[in-house]
Amino acid sequence: MTIDDTDVNDVTRGERALVIGVERHGQTNGRSSEARLDEAAGLAEAIGVEVVARRTYRLRQVRPATLLGSGQVAEIAQLAEEHGAGLAVIDAALTPVQQKSLEEGLKTKVIDRTGLILEIFGERAATAEGRLQVELAHLDYQAGRLVRSWTHLERQRGGFGFLGGPGETQIEADRRMIRDRMARIRRELEQVKRTRTLHRDRRQRAPWPVVALVGYTNAGKSTLFNRLTGEAVVAEDMLFATLDPTMREIRLPGFDKAILSDTVGFVSDLPTQLVAAFRATLEEVASADLLIHVRDISHPDSEAQRADVEAVLEQLGVGREEEGAPPLVEAWNKIDLIEGDDRQALLNEASRRADVLPISAISGEGIDALKAFIAERLRSGSAMHSIRIPISDGGRIAWLHARGEVVGQRMHDGEVEIEVRLSPENWARFQSLVDQSV
C-alpha cells in the first residue's frame, strides 16, 4: 500500500522517528540541550510516533540549503537507516528549501518544530472553532511549502497530514484553493468571534468573577482544574493534553460562585501562526478577573518556561506591565515532587512573595489555601460602597451578593440599602448595569 492510498494518521501513528536537536552558538533559550531534546521527544510522542533515537548537533553556521552541515546530514541518514526510521523531527524552524533538501538527503520524511506542534493541534482540536483555527494556522504555514498535494483539505477532523503527503502536483491550483479556503475560514472565525464576544459580554454582566488558568503545557493546569471544580476534563502526562478552553463554576470563600477557565498550554517557540489563529480563544484570558499562572516548579527549566508563558501573554496584551491587564499570581505546582532542602528553600522563597502559592494538584496540598488566596485577590483593591436598590430589583441585589462582600443591609421604604465591598472592576460593571436599566 502506498502513502497515497493510506490514511495519514495510519502513517503517522507508530512511525519510527529520530529527534534531532539543533543548538546554535549563543542561543540556548535558557534551557539545557538535554531539556530541549526531552521536550521535542515529548512533542513527537504526543502524536503517537515512536522515538527510536535522538541527538543534538551544534551549528557553527547555518547552511541555507540544509540548516545542518553535510557531515551531520550524512550521520543522521546513517542513524535513520540503522534504526529503520521513516521520520526525522528537527527541533528548529526549517525553510521550505531546507525541509525538502533534508528529506532528499535523509531519505525520510522531515517535520520541523512548527509543523510538529501544528500536527498535534490538528489531532487534538475537539470543537468546530478549534479545528478551524488549527486549519487556518496550518494553511498559513504550508502556503509556501507546496511540495505535497492538498487532498487532505476536505478532512473534517484529525491531523493535517504533513507527515505523509503524496507529492508535488498542481501547485497553482493548490495555491488558489488555499487562498480561497483561508478566506472562508476567516469569515467563519469572524462569526465565531462575534458570538464569543456576545457570550463574554453576557458573562461580564453576570454576577460571577472569572479566573483563568494559564501556563506551560503539561504544567498541571487540567489536574488543578479538576481538583478545584470536581470535574474530570482530560488531564494526562502529555504535552497539549488540553486544547479547547473549558469553563466550570467553583466555590470560593466569600463568593457564591466563580467561573474557572482552563486554557491551552503554551510552549517555547510557539508558532506565530498558532498565536494568531488562537487569538480569539485566548481573548478569554484577557477578559478574566484574575490569571493563575500554573508552573511546574519541579521542572529543571521552570524559570525558562515562566519566561515563555509571560512572552505569550505579552503578545496577547495581558502581560504584567500592560495597563488594564488582569492581575496575575503564580501557583507553584508539583511541590510534592520536591524533597528535603530543595523543598524547604522553595517554600521559604514562596513565603517571601505575595504573588506565589506552592501547591500540589495531585495530592491536594495547598488547595484550600489557594482558594482563599484567589478570593483575597479577587477582592484586592476593593472599596466600600453604600447602594440603595428597590426591593423588587432582585437581579442587582443578587449581583452584589455574588460579586461583592456584603457587610450589612437595611430596609428603607421599599428599598434596601446595601453596604458592600467591591473591586474597582466590579464597581464599574455594576455602574454599567445601572446605566442599562435606566
Side-chain angles (χ1 to χ4, degrees):
M1 183 179 289
T2 66
I3 290 175
D4 292 30
D5 52 20
T6 303
D7 184 86
V8 168
N9 285 332
D10 290 340
V11 174
T12 302
R13 293 209 164 271
E15 185 87 66
R16 294 172 66 82
L18 307 178
V19 174
I20 306 301
V22 177
E23 190 175 288
R24 303 186 188 190
H25 182 68
Q27 294 185 352
T28 63
N29 200 22
R31 289 172 167 79
S32 67
S33 299
E34 190 60 31
R36 283 193 63 92
L37 206 57
D38 285 343
E39 182 174 280
L43 290 169
E45 289 166 351
I47 57 169
V49 302
E50 179 188 356
V51 177
V52 293
R54 50 192 196 174
R55 299 282 171 80
T56 295
Y57 291 91
R58 288 181 174 81
L59 297 186
R60 290 189 176 87
Q61 65 181 76
V62 174
R63 304 298 173 93
T66 55
L67 180 68
L68 299 155
S70 57
Q72 293 169 329
V73 172
E75 185 177 327
I76 297 168
Q78 183 178 351
L79 194 65
E81 186 176 355
E82 289 173 358
H83 289 274
L87 171 66
V89 176
I90 309 297
D91 188 31
L94 297 175
T95 67
V97 169
Q98 288 169 343
Q99 182 178 1
K100 189 172 183 180
S101 298
L102 283 172
E103 287 183 336
E104 292 171 351
L106 301 179
K107 303 295 189 294
T108 68
K109 294 187 291 289
V110 169
I111 187 169
D112 68 357
R113 185 180 179 87
T114 299
L116 182 59
I117 293 172
L118 288 170
E119 184 76 11
I120 296 170
F121 274 50
E123 284 196 357
R124 300 285 172 77
T127 65
E129 179 186 5
R131 291 194 295 273
L132 286 171
Q133 289 169 326
V134 174
E135 187 176 354
L136 181 61
H138 161 242
L139 290 171
D140 184 41
Y141 169 71
Q142 289 287 49
R145 297 169 185 259
L146 292 178
V147 294
R148 300 174 173 88
S149 81
W150 291 86
T151 55
H152 63 278
L153 286 183
E154 298 305 317
R155 290 166 56 88
Q156 296 300 307
R157 288 188 62 104
F160 291 95
F162 351 123
L163 298 188
E168 182 173 352
T169 61
Q170 299 181 322
I171 288 180
E172 286 306 317
D174 288 344
R175 285 198 179 115
R176 184 164 54 252
M177 183 164 61
I178 291 169
R179 286 196 301 269
D180 292 345
R181 180 62 179 153
M182 289 178 73
R184 241 182 354 260
I185 292 173
R186 287 194 177 103
R187 287 194 297 270
E188 291 180 52
L189 282 174
E190 191 57 38
Q191 180 58 47
V192 171
K193 183 177 180 180
R194 284 195 291 270
T195 302
R196 185 179 290 278
T197 300
L198 288 174
H199 290 168
R200 187 161 52 240
D201 290 345
R202 194 173 298 125
R203 284 202 307 274
Q204 293 289 352
R205 292 193 296 271
W208 309 302
V210 177
V211 179
L213 301 179
V214 299
Y216 207 81
T217 184
N218 214 30
K221 296 184 304 304
S222 294
T223 304
L224 178 59
F225 183 89
N226 290 342
R227 172 71 68 170
L228 291 172
T229 64
E231 292 286 334
V233 301
V234 176
E236 300 180 34
D237 184 15
M238 180 188 294
L239 299 177
F240 296 118
T242 302
L243 197 58
D244 296 291
T246 306
M247 305 186 85
R248 296 289 186 275
E249 67 176 76
I250 58 171
R251 294 301 182 103
L252 295 172
F255 292 87
D256 288 345
K257 184 164 71 171
I259 302 297
L260 185 67
S261 174
D262 188 17
T263 60
V264 62
F266 302 151
V267 71
S268 65
D269 302 323
L270 189 67
T272 55
Q273 294 95 339
L274 274 177
V275 175
F278 276 77
R279 184 173 293 276
T281 301
L282 292 171
E283 282 173 359
E284 295 290 344
V285 172
S287 66
D289 296 279
L290 179 69
L291 301 183
I292 306 295
H293 179 181
V294 183
R295 292 178 56 187
D296 177 357
I297 204 65
S298 70
H299 198 284
D301 288 328
S302 184
E303 277 300 315
Q305 291 179 354
R306 177 195 59 77
D308 287 327
V309 170
E310 293 190 354
V312 176
L313 291 176
E314 286 177 8
Q315 289 183 58
L316 297 171
V318 292
R320 287 180 183 270
E321 307 303 322
E322 297 286 340
E323 185 176 352
L328 182 145
V329 297
E330 294 183 4
W332 285 4
N333 192 28
K334 306 189 184 182
I335 195 73
D336 55 299
L337 299 181
I338 304 174
E339 299 176 343
D341 293 342
D342 290 340
R343 176 186 171 90
Q344 192 56 51
L346 276 173
L347 293 176
N348 290 342
E349 182 181 353
S351 68
R352 291 192 293 268
R353 293 179 52 177
D355 62 343
V356 165
L357 202 71
I359 65 164
S360 168
I362 286 288
S363 71
E365 179 182 355
I367 296 300
D368 288 341
L370 177 62
K371 289 181 178 180
F373 186 67
I374 293 171
E376 179 186 345
R377 282 305 176 118
L378 289 173
R379 290 192 292 265
S380 178
S382 60
M384 289 297 301
H385 299 274
S386 181
I387 303 169
R388 286 197 176 197
I389 302 174
I391 294 174
S392 59
D393 193 349
R396 280 195 291 159
I397 294 172
W399 197 102
L400 289 173
H401 275 270
R403 278 279 191 176
E405 182 186 358
V406 175
V407 297
Q409 57 185 45
R410 294 182 296 277
M411 307 297 294
H412 296 282
D413 299 326
E415 291 186 327
V416 58
E417 182 180 359
I418 300 177
E419 299 288 332
V420 59
R421 189 183 306 277
L422 290 169
S423 68
E425 295 81 9
N426 281 333
W427 174 242
R429 287 171 183 162
F430 181 77
Q431 293 292 93
S432 70
L433 287 177
V434 174
D435 293 341
Q436 291 167 21
S437 65
V438 173

